[in-house]
């Protein structure tokens, strides 16, 4: 499965990529922000998108709205440090645009939590 990780924190994107590799996934692309992520989304077919909710220029909510118009069926997971209410509101917006939201990973998250979300994406 090809995976896209979108986060303005480059250290976190490297860490998430390493975690996926530990889980046996090798096709991981990283984008340093929402605009770059949308560009990559348009250039390839992804089976999963992990997306930071709070990013400058194009935040996670705006990203999923665009994603919902262009490629709504791709499973998506928010990665965030935001409070539950904010993450839930963002997930509701995403679902209304047709995005297949699997859930939220709250920073910092464990390899086991990431693995559970990966398994959900593979089953979707």
């Amino acid at each position: 499965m090809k995976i896209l990780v979108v986060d303005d924190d480059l250290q976190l994107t490297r860490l998430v990529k390493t975690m996926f590799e530990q889980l046996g996934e090798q096709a991981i692309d990283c984008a340093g922000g929402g605009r770059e992520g949308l560009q990559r989304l348009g250039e390839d077919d992804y089976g999963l998108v992990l997306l930071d909710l709070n990013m400058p220029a194009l935040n996670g909510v705006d990203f999923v709205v665009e994603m919902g118009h262009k490629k709504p069926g791709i499973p998506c997971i928010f990665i965030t440090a935001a409070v539950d209410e904010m993450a839930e509101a963002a997930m509701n917006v995403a679902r209304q645009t047709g995005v297949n939201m699997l859930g939220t990973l709250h920073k910092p998250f464990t390899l086991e939590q990431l693995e559970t979300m990966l398994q959900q994406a593979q089953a979707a």
Side-chain angles (χ1 to χ4, degrees), residues 14-90:
R14 285 188 211 114
L15 174 63
V16 172
K17 181 176 181 175
T18 299
M19 292 170 81
F20 273 123
E21 289 168 347
Q22 290 174 350
L23 295 171
E25 296 297 325
Q26 298 302 316
I28 303 114
D29 289 339
C30 297
R35 295 194 195 287
E36 181 184 351
L38 282 178
Q39 180 182 347
R40 288 183 180 264
L41 193 65
E43 295 171 350
D44 214 333
D45 291 322
Y46 292 96
L48 177 62
V49 174
L50 266 78
L51 172 67
D52 187 16
L53 187 53
N54 295 314
M55 295 182 290
L58 185 71
N59 66 36
V61 173
D62 293 337
F63 182 97
V64 294
V65 168
E66 289 294 318
M67 184 175 156
H69 295 302
K70 296 176 181 178
K71 295 191 175 184
I74 302 170
C76 188
I77 300 166
F78 279 131
I79 41 179
T80 186
V83 294
D84 287 338
E85 293 82 15
M86 186 174 169
E88 190 61 38

Side-chain angles (χ1 to χ4, degrees), residues 26 73 100 105 110:
Q26 298 302 316
N100 181 10
L105 286 171
T110 66

